[in-house]
Amino acid sequence: MTIQAELKQIEESAAYLRAALPQLPEVAMILGSGLGVLADSLEHATTIAYHNIPHFPVSTVEGHAGELVVGELSGKQVVIMKGRFHMYEGYSATEVSFPIRVLKTLGIKTLIVTNAAGGINTAYASGELMLIEDHINFTGRNPLIGPNADAFGVRFPDMSEAYSKRLRALAHETATAQGFTLQEGVYVGLLGPSYETPAEIRMFRVLGADAVGMSTVSEVLVARHAGIEVLGISCISNMAAGILDQPLSHEEVMETTERVKGKFLALVKGIVPKI
Ligand code: HPA
């Protein structure tokens, strides 16, 4: 697709949402596997199915609903992407991050990305929450490849603070006030869909990664390109391959996020008013 065609699609999606929404959001959230429940906390909510939004991809994974929910959370207008797109579904990096540009066009300034991730750092335990301090893009893909979308950002965007220090400090403060601590570490993003081998996990540990997952990186690259401030939160849903003497499964991921969602919900609700 040409850049002109992409920009036209973004504008058409944004125009549809502008007409459909009573109020435009300032904060966007992308909720990963099993964490979509936060959308139920929005007041005066408007829900729009992805398949009704022109040019929006649709998610195909269990645990990813495929709805945009806009409403008020802790006094702020937020838009929640309940369900995201992954490259393992067959989408390109650009398609995966298409909604970010649509939301930027609507005026969002902050993005909270969440995901379920495997713990590589052996000091972590399943069920803990980890702030993403930084990422390693191990997907071999980059959504910004191709002619630069000058309307959104520069050709060579800086990534020295992809995950906002200010927002990480706010998140730590909020967790402390709620009586728990957050881990903070490096997220390595892979294509999936197979989970990693134990040898790969040992390699990622040596490379400086603390958690591993199959999302987030493309979204954050596009968000930072467009000057959106980002906070990333991983739910450590399982220990990565080879750490425990047991196989990995999507059921375990879903069970853990289900168990942790109360803590996660309280954390995000506590952070939003301070943004
Ligand atoms: N590896 C990759 N992606 C994941 C994992 C994992 O162990 N857990 C949740 N998402």
Side-chain angles (χ1 to χ4, degrees):
M1 197 183 354
T2 64
I3 192 79
Q4 287 79 8
E6 191 196 335
L7 293 175
K8 186 163 175 285
Q9 289 196 347
I10 291 166
E11 199 35 68
E12 284 168 4
S13 290
Y16 173 87
L17 290 171
R18 256 188 230 110
L21 297 175
Q23 262 188 302
L24 291 181
E26 337 158 36
V27 178
M29 297 182 199
I30 305 180
L31 302 180
S33 302
L35 299 172
V37 60
L38 180 61
D40 302 338
S41 307
L42 296 195
E43 290 172 55
H44 315 294
T46 306
T47 301
I48 301 171
Y50 289 163
H51 63 80
N52 286 329
I53 308 172
H55 315 299
F56 244 61
V58 283
S59 35
T60 63
V61 200
E62 194 199 331
H64 287 267
E67 286 172 349
L68 210 65
V69 187
V70 183
E72 199 179 304
L73 184 74
S74 314
K76 277 218 157 71
Q77 279 300 313
V78 306
V79 52
I80 291 184
M81 276 184 69
K82 215 173 152 183
R84 56 148 59 91
F85 311 108
H86 306 82
M87 289 187 275
Y88 62 69
E89 294 173 82
Y91 294 116
S92 69
T94 308
E95 285 167 329
V96 162
S97 48
F98 174 85
I100 310 288
R101 285 188 169 164
V102 174
L103 297 176
K104 169 72 186 182
T105 306
L106 292 181
I108 67 132
K109 300 195 167 44
T110 313
L111 173 68
I112 302 180
V113 274
T114 71
N115 57 49
I120 294 179
N121 187 324
T122 53
Y124 291 179
S126 136
E128 284 193 297
L129 299 179
M130 182 193 90
L131 287 185
I132 306 180
E133 173 199 333
D134 204 349
H135 75 221
I136 297 174
N137 181 3
F138 219 86
T139 64
R141 312 264 176 93
N142 191 308
L144 304 174
I145 289 174
N148 184 52
D150 296 332
F152 286 95
V154 296
R155 171 77 290 188
F156 301 107
D158 175 44
M159 289 294 148
S160 24
E161 194 186 317
Y163 300 83
S164 161
K165 276 191 190 139
R166 184 184 80 87
L167 294 179
R168 274 184 276 149
L170 273 183
H172 280 301
E173 234 173 69
T174 309
T176 305
Q178 292 178 358
F180 65 98
T181 48
L182 293 169
Q183 300 285 6
E184 181 163 329
V186 173
Y187 174 93
V188 59
L190 307 186
L191 281 181
S194 47
Y195 287 118
E196 304 68 39
T197 64
E200 287 165 346
I201 293 303
R202 289 193 297 274
M203 173 185 75
F204 291 131
R205 189 176 299 123
V206 172
L207 295 183
D210 297 291
V212 57
M214 305 172 190
S215 65
T216 304
V217 165
S218 294
E219 298 153 359
V220 172
L221 291 173
V222 165
R224 294 303 299 142
H225 177 248
I228 297 168
E229 196 177 8
V230 174
L231 177 69
I233 308 172
S234 291
C235 166
I236 305 299
S237 56
N238 57 282
M239 292 311 289
I243 296 179
L244 305 176
D245 191 18
Q246 63 185 49
L248 272 54
S249 70
H250 190 55
E251 287 67 41
E252 183 187 2
V253 171
M254 300 302 287
E255 272 165 34
T256 310
T257 50
E258 178 65 27
R259 178 159 62 81
V260 175
K261 71 183 184 198
K263 187 162 82 168
F264 165 79
L265 237 125
L267 176 69
V268 175
K269 280 185 186 168
I271 293 169
V272 165
K274 300 188 211 150
I275 288 174

